[in-house]
Amino acid sequence: SGNSTTKEARCMSSVIPGWFSEISPMWPGEAHSLKVEKILFQEKSDYQNVMVFQSSTYGKVLVLDGVIQLTERDECAYQEMITHLPLCSIPNPKKVLVIGGGDGGVLREVSRHSSVEQIDICEIDKMVIDVSKQFFPDIAVGYDDPRVTLHIGDGVAFLKAVPEGTYDAVIVDSSDPIGPAQELFEKPFFKSVARALRPGGVVCTQAESIWLHMHIIEDIVANCRQIFKGSVNYAWTTVPTYPSGVIGFMLCSTEGPLVNFKHPVNPIDADGTLSKTKRPLKFYNSEIHTAAFCLPSFAKKIIEAK
Ligand code: SAM
């Protein structure tokens, strides 16, 4: 069936002598490669193939079903942007939910916000959490924050059970829409996120690449416009080890106090003095926050079409 073909194609990403190449039907005809020093972990969980390898120039690398999820060298760009774009756009975020994000990087970034009182995370695959704690301690440090409550399960089911208006912010740090994350890109899930947010609450989701996935992005934007009656925006940033070197985010708010995502209202302490990890921000700042919403014309035409 299509699924098994996809699955085989997904696992085509193999370690050829000395190199890992990221081959996937989601980016036909191209494959980013990293030189492999050593494979550190490789097992199949109930949901996906989980691999960690030591690369020669990007530090350790986490791979799920043959797709690079993060590297030590450039994870800062993704974790900081997917977290601070929403949380710096609303005053005093208190209750935050992370869907996916099993590596703990988004938790590490959320914990920088002193106004936050409750951080829930729902990750489907315990193996990702265990592997991140073992091989990526500077990322999994996010789990040490006492405000964090971990739920192991499917984000789709979790959101269905969340009482209406619970969260100020939801961050969907999911893998790609092939495999366990498929439903996290579909309308029913977005509806359950909107219901779980308070009026004027915000959601930020991993939203693929404008170079590779305009068709997926077009559908996501159309769904979000129907569901989120506050504002709907697309932002993007550079992550060298993601396909085409960029990754995007959907930033939406529910009806209620207007959220102007392009102008952050809730500055974050960039040098990390307030945060437990004392880790300065490596990537995010308020200028790059505003710039992230500037789109190339080919994307603007589709995303901002009225
Ligand atoms: N930054 C990465 C990217 O942009 O592709 C994503 C990082 S994080 C590792 C993705 C996480 O989403 C994985 O740990 C995966 O297990 C989790 N995930 C996938 N589907 C899920 C679901 N339905 N519910 C909860 N977590 C899910």
PDB file of all heavy atoms in Angstrom, residues 111-112 141 144-147 272-279:
ATOM      1  N   SER A 111      10.980  27.750  29.635  1.00  0.00           N
ATOM      2  CA  SER A 111      11.319  27.994  31.049  1.00  0.00           C
ATOM      3  C   SER A 111      12.062  29.306  31.248  1.00  0.00           C
ATOM      4  O   SER A 111      12.217  29.785  32.366  1.00  0.00           O
ATOM      5  CB  SER A 111      12.135  26.823  31.611  1.00  0.00           C
ATOM      6  OG  SER A 111      13.412  26.811  31.028  1.00  0.00           O
ATOM      7  N   ARG A 112      12.471  29.960  30.186  1.00  0.00           N
ATOM      8  CA  ARG A 112      13.106  31.286  30.313  1.00  0.00           C
ATOM      9  C   ARG A 112      12.087  32.357  30.710  1.00  0.00           C
ATOM     10  O   ARG A 112      12.462  33.428  31.200  1.00  0.00           O
ATOM     11  CB  ARG A 112      13.709  31.727  28.971  1.00  0.00           C
ATOM     12  CG  ARG A 112      14.938  30.967  28.507  1.00  0.00           C
ATOM     13  CD  ARG A 112      15.342  31.480  27.125  1.00  0.00           C
ATOM     14  NE  ARG A 112      16.374  30.699  26.500  1.00  0.00           N
ATOM     15  CZ  ARG A 112      17.684  30.903  26.691  1.00  0.00           C
ATOM     16  NH1 ARG A 112      18.088  31.863  27.475  1.00  0.00           N
ATOM     17  NH2 ARG A 112      18.587  30.146  26.078  1.00  0.00           N
ATOM     18  N   VAL A 141      17.635  19.410  29.251  1.00  0.00           N
ATOM     19  CA  VAL A 141      17.626  20.144  30.534  1.00  0.00           C
ATOM     20  C   VAL A 141      16.239  20.754  30.772  1.00  0.00           C
ATOM     21  O   VAL A 141      15.829  21.014  31.900  1.00  0.00           O
ATOM     22  CB  VAL A 141      18.727  21.230  30.529  1.00  0.00           C
ATOM     23  CG1 VAL A 141      18.433  22.312  29.477  1.00  0.00           C
ATOM     24  CG2 VAL A 141      18.913  21.850  31.901  1.00  0.00           C
ATOM     25  N   ASP A 144      14.016  19.538  33.541  1.00  0.00           N
ATOM     26  CA  ASP A 144      14.346  19.766  34.966  1.00  0.00           C
ATOM     27  C   ASP A 144      13.492  20.851  35.594  1.00  0.00           C
ATOM     28  O   ASP A 144      13.461  20.983  36.819  1.00  0.00           O
ATOM     29  CB  ASP A 144      15.836  20.176  35.096  1.00  0.00           C
ATOM     30  CG  ASP A 144      16.771  19.085  34.586  1.00  0.00           C
ATOM     31  OD1 ASP A 144      16.272  17.959  34.352  1.00  0.00           O
ATOM     32  OD2 ASP A 144      17.975  19.355  34.411  1.00  0.00           O
ATOM     33  N   ASP A 145      12.814  21.655  34.773  1.00  0.00           N
ATOM     34  CA  ASP A 145      12.044  22.778  35.331  1.00  0.00           C
ATOM     35  C   ASP A 145      10.847  22.242  36.113  1.00  0.00           C
ATOM     36  O   ASP A 145      10.066  21.444  35.572  1.00  0.00           O
ATOM     37  CB  ASP A 145      11.578  23.691  34.181  1.00  0.00           C
ATOM     38  CG  ASP A 145      10.996  25.004  34.721  1.00  0.00           C
ATOM     39  OD1 ASP A 145      10.067  24.929  35.560  1.00  0.00           O
ATOM     40  OD2 ASP A 145      11.499  26.080  34.359  1.00  0.00           O
ATOM     41  N   PRO A 146      10.693  22.646  37.389  1.00  0.00           N
ATOM     42  CA  PRO A 146       9.599  22.107  38.223  1.00  0.00           C
ATOM     43  C   PRO A 146       8.201  22.432  37.702  1.00  0.00           C
ATOM     44  O   PRO A 146       7.229  21.799  38.090  1.00  0.00           O
ATOM     45  CB  PRO A 146       9.832  22.764  39.583  1.00  0.00           C
ATOM     46  CG  PRO A 146      10.716  23.940  39.328  1.00  0.00           C
ATOM     47  CD  PRO A 146      11.527  23.629  38.105  1.00  0.00           C
ATOM     48  N   ARG A 147       8.102  23.381  36.763  1.00  0.00           N
ATOM     49  CA  ARG A 147       6.776  23.736  36.236  1.00  0.00           C
ATOM     50  C   ARG A 147       6.311  22.744  35.164  1.00  0.00           C
ATOM     51  O   ARG A 147       5.186  22.809  34.698  1.00  0.00           O
ATOM     52  CB  ARG A 147       6.814  25.143  35.623  1.00  0.00           C
ATOM     53  CG  ARG A 147       7.102  26.257  36.621  1.00  0.00           C
ATOM     54  CD  ARG A 147       7.424  27.588  35.951  1.00  0.00           C
ATOM     55  NE  ARG A 147       8.774  27.569  35.350  1.00  0.00           N
ATOM     56  CZ  ARG A 147       9.293  28.613  34.695  1.00  0.00           C
ATOM     57  NH1 ARG A 147       8.589  29.723  34.507  1.00  0.00           N
ATOM     58  NH2 ARG A 147      10.523  28.546  34.212  1.00  0.00           N
ATOM     59  N   GLY A 272      20.149  35.492  29.513  1.00  0.00           N
ATOM     60  CA  GLY A 272      19.883  34.279  30.290  1.00  0.00           C
ATOM     61  C   GLY A 272      20.076  34.436  31.786  1.00  0.00           C
ATOM     62  O   GLY A 272      20.017  33.467  32.531  1.00  0.00           O
ATOM     63  N   THR A 273      20.270  35.690  32.254  1.00  0.00           N
ATOM     64  CA  THR A 273      20.548  35.845  33.704  1.00  0.00           C
ATOM     65  C   THR A 273      19.349  35.374  34.535  1.00  0.00           C
ATOM     66  O   THR A 273      19.514  34.810  35.593  1.00  0.00           O
ATOM     67  CB  THR A 273      20.797  37.343  34.022  1.00  0.00           C
ATOM     68  OG1 THR A 273      19.815  38.101  33.317  1.00  0.00           O
ATOM     69  CG2 THR A 273      22.180  37.761  33.569  1.00  0.00           C
ATOM     70  N   LEU A 274      18.119  35.580  34.010  1.00  0.00           N
ATOM     71  CA  LEU A 274      16.931  35.210  34.815  1.00  0.00           C
ATOM     72  C   LEU A 274      16.653  33.716  34.722  1.00  0.00           C
ATOM     73  O   LEU A 274      15.969  33.147  35.544  1.00  0.00           O
ATOM     74  CB  LEU A 274      15.700  35.994  34.298  1.00  0.00           C
ATOM     75  CG  LEU A 274      15.753  37.518  34.433  1.00  0.00           C
ATOM     76  CD1 LEU A 274      14.468  38.149  33.915  1.00  0.00           C
ATOM     77  CD2 LEU A 274      15.990  37.905  35.895  1.00  0.00           C
ATOM     78  N   SER A 275      17.158  33.078  33.636  1.00  0.00           N
ATOM     79  CA  SER A 275      16.726  31.676  33.446  1.00  0.00           C
ATOM     80  C   SER A 275      17.621  30.747  34.275  1.00  0.00           C
ATOM     81  O   SER A 275      18.760  31.062  34.575  1.00  0.00           O
ATOM     82  CB  SER A 275      16.834  31.302  31.965  1.00  0.00           C
ATOM     83  OG  SER A 275      18.196  31.028  31.661  1.00  0.00           O
ATOM     84  N   LYS A 276      17.043  29.616  34.629  1.00  0.00           N
ATOM     85  CA  LYS A 276      17.762  28.624  35.452  1.00  0.00           C
ATOM     86  C   LYS A 276      19.021  28.152  34.745  1.00  0.00           C
ATOM     87  O   LYS A 276      20.062  27.988  35.342  1.00  0.00           O
ATOM     88  CB  LYS A 276      16.833  27.415  35.705  1.00  0.00           C
ATOM     89  CG  LYS A 276      16.500  27.185  37.184  1.00  0.00           C
ATOM     90  CD  LYS A 276      15.403  26.173  37.373  1.00  0.00           C
ATOM     91  CE  LYS A 276      15.632  24.872  36.631  1.00  0.00           C
ATOM     92  NZ  LYS A 276      16.741  24.075  37.161  1.00  0.00           N
ATOM     93  N   THR A 277      18.886  27.970  33.423  1.00  0.00           N
ATOM     94  CA  THR A 277      20.033  27.366  32.705  1.00  0.00           C
ATOM     95  C   THR A 277      21.157  28.394  32.529  1.00  0.00           C
ATOM     96  O   THR A 277      22.238  28.056  32.114  1.00  0.00           O
ATOM     97  CB  THR A 277      19.590  26.913  31.295  1.00  0.00           C
ATOM     98  OG1 THR A 277      19.075  28.081  30.626  1.00  0.00           O
ATOM     99  CG2 THR A 277      18.517  25.841  31.369  1.00  0.00           C
ATOM    100  N   LYS A 278      20.835  29.695  32.830  1.00  0.00           N
ATOM    101  CA  LYS A 278      21.854  30.757  32.651  1.00  0.00           C
ATOM    102  C   LYS A 278      22.417  30.739  31.214  1.00  0.00           C
ATOM    103  O   LYS A 278      23.514  31.207  30.970  1.00  0.00           O
ATOM    104  CB  LYS A 278      23.012  30.571  33.659  1.00  0.00           C
ATOM    105  CG  LYS A 278      22.569  30.647  35.120  1.00  0.00           C
ATOM    106  CD  LYS A 278      22.375  32.099  35.573  1.00  0.00           C
ATOM    107  CE  LYS A 278      21.771  32.185  36.980  1.00  0.00           C
ATOM    108  NZ  LYS A 278      20.283  32.393  36.906  1.00  0.00           N
ATOM    109  N   ARG A 279      21.686  30.152  30.295  1.00  0.00           N
ATOM    110  CA  ARG A 279      22.185  29.994  28.925  1.00  0.00           C
ATOM    111  C   ARG A 279      21.724  31.187  28.095  1.00  0.00           C
ATOM    112  O   ARG A 279      20.532  31.425  27.983  1.00  0.00           O
ATOM    113  CB  ARG A 279      21.559  28.702  28.388  1.00  0.00           C
ATOM    114  CG  ARG A 279      22.021  28.204  27.062  1.00  0.00           C
ATOM    115  CD  ARG A 279      21.261  26.882  26.760  1.00  0.00           C
ATOM    116  NE  ARG A 279      21.590  26.339  25.451  1.00  0.00           N
ATOM    117  CZ  ARG A 279      20.998  26.775  24.335  1.00  0.00           C
ATOM    118  NH1 ARG A 279      20.112  27.742  24.368  1.00  0.00           N
ATOM    119  NH2 ARG A 279      21.315  26.245  23.178  1.00  0.00           N
TER     120      ARG A 279
END
